[in-house]
Amino acid sequence: MTIRHLKGLVSRAMDYSEGCNYSQSSMYLQRKVFHSLIKFAKRSRKFELSETTLERFLNDCQRKRKFTQPDYIQRFFRCFRVLQSLEKDESIKLHYRKKLLQIPVQFVQLSNDYSEWLSRKGQCQNTIETKISRLLCFLLYLDSFSISEENIDFDVIFNFKDYIQNKEFSEAYKANILFTLKNFIVFLVDTGTLKPIAQHYVGTVFSHKDARLCSYYSTDEINKVLNHIDRKTKLGKRDYVIVLLFAELGLRESDVLDLKLDDFDWSREELNICMKKTKQPLTLPLTETLLLALADYIRNARPNADTSLLFPRVSLSLKGAYTRGMIYYAVDRYFKRAGINTTDKHHGPHALRHSLTSSLQRQNVSLPTISAALGHGSMNITKRYLWMAPEQLRKLALEVSHEE
């Protein structure tokens, strides 16, 4: 990599950071890291954004007593990962892991075949990626005992189930791993790798769906979140629309990320989309509040970009839509600023979707109507979204007489 190319990546990274409204201290530290990296590259005979370079650069900085504090090291890793993403023409993530677990070499082709099989079954890309990440635990287990896919039998599955029970995973995540494993076994049977009897190896999976966190927020709490968004700034205008799309329409993150200007029928005051998760069409009415917020954002805050996306990236040098992490942060930060109690509760976009469902329930909206509004294929799925508010629970509580 040439120094000129590296400086170009650094310039794009700084443009991105400025668009994210980072503090002056964060921007200063990023410039400091990038400046040191360019100097390091000039001293190197050959420079590339590899893991080896990452380790060498970090060692060089620590030897010179630069970026030795834990917070500095974390920011250092992020700066390097951002440059790697830009070089690969990938979306910049909100968070980067220091080390990603890799699929064992002998299972890479099998994993790709499973992905293609899921795709032919109509699974969306996000679902496929989620299943592959859950399957990784099983593939690593097979690799540790040198077991090939052809040798998977009842004992292997039984021992693996015992293995994950001793892992520090949540009960819900353990269940999700086993659900994915059952699906993976079906794939192996379908492709002739295993015999049909193998489909019974995993057995019944208890998902503990009713033990998940209650993520309901009251209308007053959501209004408080909205009131803490500074709508005088471009960032605030954008974030106000994002929060309203979740709170008033109950959209999924994937659909908000993919929204386009043509999806809005302004004359009918409707939103028409094809949901990414279900591939089904959905039409929703636009409230007056949302219409005004959209008009304000599109006219005064939306970046001028050669794309029809409602939320294009701020910098023209960065391609594509926002990531899920960015959308989550756009919601989460206002929960914190509003001082909402989120203890033991989710507080991202999906929590607003749950809250809308419960709000509609309290307004005596019928279950089929709520299910249709959320784009659910089954009312059984909608029932999982229905949370009883604390004030409703108090009304149902039995009064116990107290005797001296």
Side-chain angles (χ1 to χ4, degrees), residues 113-369:
D113 292 341
Y114 178 50
S115 297
E116 293 178 3
W117 183 79
L118 289 172
S119 180
R120 291 196 298 272
K121 295 290 184 179
Q123 300 287 294
C124 68
Q125 188 58 35
N126 286 335
T127 300
I128 293 173
E129 291 175 0
T130 299
K131 288 189 174 182
I132 293 298
S133 68
R134 291 172 181 166
L135 183 64
L136 179 59
C137 181
F138 180 64
L139 297 180
L140 290 170
Y141 175 82
L142 294 180
D143 182 58
S144 65
F145 291 99
S146 301
I147 301 172
S148 65
E149 63 269 24
E150 296 89 354
N151 294 321
I152 296 174
D153 57 20
F154 177 81
D155 288 337
V156 171
I157 300 298
F158 181 84
N159 291 331
F160 173 71
K161 291 171 70 174
D162 187 57
Y163 165 76
I164 62 171
Q165 286 304 318
N166 296 320
K167 300 288 285 185
E168 294 184 357
F169 297 150
S170 68
E171 293 302 315
Y173 187 62
K174 291 175 184 177
N176 284 332
I177 290 176
L178 294 179
F179 277 126
T180 301
L181 179 56
K182 288 189 75 168
N183 185 250
F184 180 65
I185 296 296
V186 171
F187 155 72
L188 293 178
V189 170
D190 193 44
T191 54
T193 305
L194 295 179
K195 295 181 179 179
I197 189 66
Q199 297 183 67
H200 303 287
Y201 289 165
V202 178
T204 303
V205 179
F206 298 97
S207 62
H208 305 279
K209 289 177 181 176
D210 295 328
R212 68 201 187 285
L213 297 176
C214 174
S215 298
Y216 161 83
Y217 293 95
S218 68
T219 302
D220 288 341
E221 287 176 314
I222 293 175
N223 285 335
K224 192 174 180 181
V225 170
L226 289 167
N227 289 335
H228 275 77
I229 302 176
D230 184 3
R231 293 160 60 193
K232 295 178 182 178
T233 67
K234 289 186 177 182
L235 182 66
K237 294 178 190 296
R238 183 205 70 180
D239 290 349
Y240 189 67
V241 171
I242 289 175
V243 175
L244 283 176
L245 287 169
F246 291 122
E248 293 197 346
L249 299 188
L251 295 179
R252 297 184 180 92
E253 290 175 69
S254 57
D255 293 325
V256 170
L257 287 169
D258 199 47
L259 281 178
K260 298 178 178 60
L261 297 175
D262 294 339
D263 293 332
F264 295 91
D265 187 333
W266 305 110
S267 60
R268 293 178 176 270
E269 299 183 353
E270 291 178 345
L271 172 65
N272 301 292
I273 62 172
C274 179
M275 294 177 288
K276 295 196 70 174
K277 184 174 182 178
T278 64
K279 304 293 190 298
Q280 296 298 315
L282 178 67
T283 297
L284 294 171
L286 298 174
T287 64
E288 183 179 358
T289 302
L290 186 51
L291 279 168
L292 292 174
L294 281 165
D296 186 26
Y297 163 70
I298 294 173
R299 174 176 291 184
N300 302 313
R302 183 179 177 274
N304 293 320
D306 187 19
T307 176
S308 62
L309 287 171
L310 179 63
F311 302 112
R313 298 293 279 272
V314 175
S315 173
L316 295 180
S317 60
L318 301 174
K319 298 180 180 180
Y322 287 99
T323 64
R324 284 173 175 261
M326 293 175 184
I327 291 293
Y328 177 89
Y329 180 63
V331 175
D332 173 65
R333 60 182 160 195
Y334 296 110
F335 271 90
K336 294 177 180 176
R337 291 181 186 180
I340 303 298
N341 182 12
T342 59
T343 304
D344 295 330
K345 295 167 69 175
H346 297 299
H347 41 94
H350 216 64
L352 295 177
R353 183 172 162 88
H354 279 252
S355 299
L356 173 64
T357 310
S358 293
S359 176
L360 292 174
Q361 180 197 30
R362 293 197 309 278
Q363 297 172 39
N364 296 319
V365 178
S366 67
L367 184 59
T369 302

Side-chain angles (χ1 to χ4, degrees), residues 99-118:
K99 185 178 180 181
L100 294 174
L101 292 174
Q102 298 294 326
I103 295 175
V105 176
Q106 65 269 33
F107 295 123
V108 170
Q109 186 57 51
L110 181 66
S111 174
N112 292 337
D113 292 341
Y114 178 50
S115 297
E116 293 178 3
W117 183 79
L118 289 172

